[in-house]
Amino acid sequence: MERNGSAMDEESQFNSKVQSIDFTPSSVDWKNAEKKSILSNFRNRLGLEDFYSYKVWQASMAELLGTAILVFGIDTIVIASFETDTKQPNLILSILVAVLIAILLLATIPVSGGHINPVVTFSAALLGLITISRAIIYILAQCLGGVLGALALKAVIGNSIEHTFSLGGCTVTVIAPGPDGPTTVGLDRSAVLWLEIICTFVVLFASVWMAFDARQAKALGHVTVCAIVGIVMGLMVFVSTTVTTKRGYSGVGMHPARCFGPAVVRGGHLWNEHWIFWVGPTISCIAFYMYIKIIPKEHFKH
């Protein structure tokens, strides 16, 4: 009996060892499942099917037209504000820009979500609110809209006004006549880059986040959120054009497609330092994404 018990004990020990060895494949399966989950999440974030989605391309048309109207409207406002005999053209410009942006956001929200700005689209993609594929389609549509808006403006203004205001495009410096011949006037590139970064981040932090946050968007309503976005952008335009008071600097862009359109249509000096109007907002979007990620998850449950 003792020998049989001893044998049974040895057999049970052997079986337990076998079971511990048999557990290894399940851990491998778990790792494979985790890899599949990561790949699945990546595919979802990428969203390649959006390239073949008729609805996404329909929505991109709203982004194209909305951006075209925005570029045409803002650039005509810029020209009209400074051509009008008034002591505060910057203030008038900022108020009108705020109103125009709010109206266009309300017009495009039901169709495309109301981005009409690569900054908003890129931020939404970083946060996972839209797929990367949809973001690419939207940004391409916005850039094309910027070109169409600049073409529309070019068709209705004279050559002298186009030359004086650089077609309402984004400039860091311009060549102006001086006592000793033509001279470059404007703002230092580092100052312009910092203005783009700071002002764009303020817009994302103080207004666009309200639209991204479903709780606030529902509580405030689309009209209020769009009005706040417009007001904050108008304030940043006022700050950048008033604080610097430098001829040759057009003011903060905060909208790469708006700067891109006139640069394509008019060319020339509008391409000088054009990268600033893309790099600055991109840095702001990444900084905003990092800010959102450090917020405790419990915050979003209240």
Side-chain angles (χ1 to χ4, degrees):
M1 295 290 293
E2 290 180 1
R3 291 182 62 182
N4 290 338
S6 170
M8 289 295 292
D9 290 340
E10 289 177 1
E11 186 177 354
S12 63
Q13 290 175 6
F14 177 76
N15 288 337
S16 66
K17 291 179 181 178
V18 172
Q19 289 174 2
S20 65
I21 294 172
D22 288 341
F23 182 76
T24 305
S26 63
S27 65
V28 173
D29 292 341
W30 179 80
K31 290 180 180 178
N32 289 335
E34 186 179 23
K35 289 180 181 178
K36 289 180 181 178
S37 177
I38 294 172
L39 288 173
S40 177
N41 290 336
F42 176 74
R43 291 193 189 100
N44 291 335
R45 289 291 297 272
L46 192 58
L48 291 177
E49 63 276 4
D50 282 345
F51 282 116
Y52 309 99
S53 172
Y54 181 66
K55 291 183 178 180
V56 172
W57 287 101
Q58 275 185 316
S60 71
M61 289 302 299
E63 292 293 309
L64 187 152
L65 293 174
T67 306
I69 295 170
L70 179 67
V71 170
F72 177 81
I74 287 180
D75 292 347
T76 51
I77 288 171
V78 169
I79 295 171
S81 298
F82 286 94
E83 283 287 283
T84 305
D85 185 17
T86 178
K87 294 181 180 180
Q88 294 291 335
N90 294 347
L91 180 59
I92 295 174
L93 163 66
S94 304
I95 293 172
L96 293 177
V97 165
V99 172
L100 176 64
I101 289 173
I103 292 172
L104 289 177
L105 288 176
L106 285 170
T108 55
I109 276 179
V111 183
S112 65
H115 292 194
I116 59 174
N117 188 338
V119 169
V120 178
T121 301
F122 184 49
S123 293
L126 284 177
L127 295 173
L129 300 177
I130 62 172
T131 65
I132 295 172
S133 298
R134 182 184 287 259
I136 292 172
I137 294 170
Y138 274 16
I139 291 174
L140 290 175
Q142 290 156 2
C143 288
L144 181 57
V147 173
L148 292 178
L151 284 171
L153 180 63
K154 185 178 176 65
V156 299
I157 63 173
N159 291 331
S160 60
I161 294 179
E162 176 187 337
H163 177 77
T164 302
F165 293 95
S166 301
L167 201 64
C170 303
T171 58
V172 176
T173 59
V174 296
I175 304 298
D180 300 321
T183 182
T184 302
V185 295
L187 203 60
D188 182 72
R189 71 175 67 175
S190 61
V192 176
L193 179 60
W194 275 112
L195 277 168
E196 287 294 321
I197 294 171
I198 294 170
C199 291
T200 305
F201 183 82
V202 169
V203 170
L204 290 169
F205 177 83
S207 60
V208 173
W209 175 234
M210 295 181 187
F212 286 167
D213 189 344
R215 299 167 308 156
Q216 294 191 73
K218 184 177 180 180
L220 296 173
H222 288 318
V223 175
T224 303
V225 170
C226 292
I228 292 172
V229 173
I231 290 170
V232 174
M233 293 197 78
L235 284 172
M236 292 302 101
V237 170
F238 179 76
V239 167
S240 67
T241 55
T242 304
V243 173
T244 58
T245 62
K246 284 281 189 177
R247 183 188 174 193
Y249 173 53
S250 61
V252 70
M254 299 182 295
H255 195 311
R258 187 187 81 77
C259 301
F260 179 75
V264 170
V265 174
R266 181 168 173 77
H269 70 284
L270 288 180
W271 288 114
N272 296 342
E273 314 296 351
H274 179 73
W275 61 270
I276 292 175
F277 300 103
W278 287 89
V279 173
T282 299
I283 294 173
S284 298
C285 291
I286 295 172
F288 179 68
Y289 169 77
M290 294 174 65
Y291 160 73
I292 295 301
K293 286 301 177 182
I294 66 174
I295 297 177
K297 292 182 179 180
E298 292 78 9
H299 167 80
F300 300 102
K301 297 179 182 179
H302 295 309

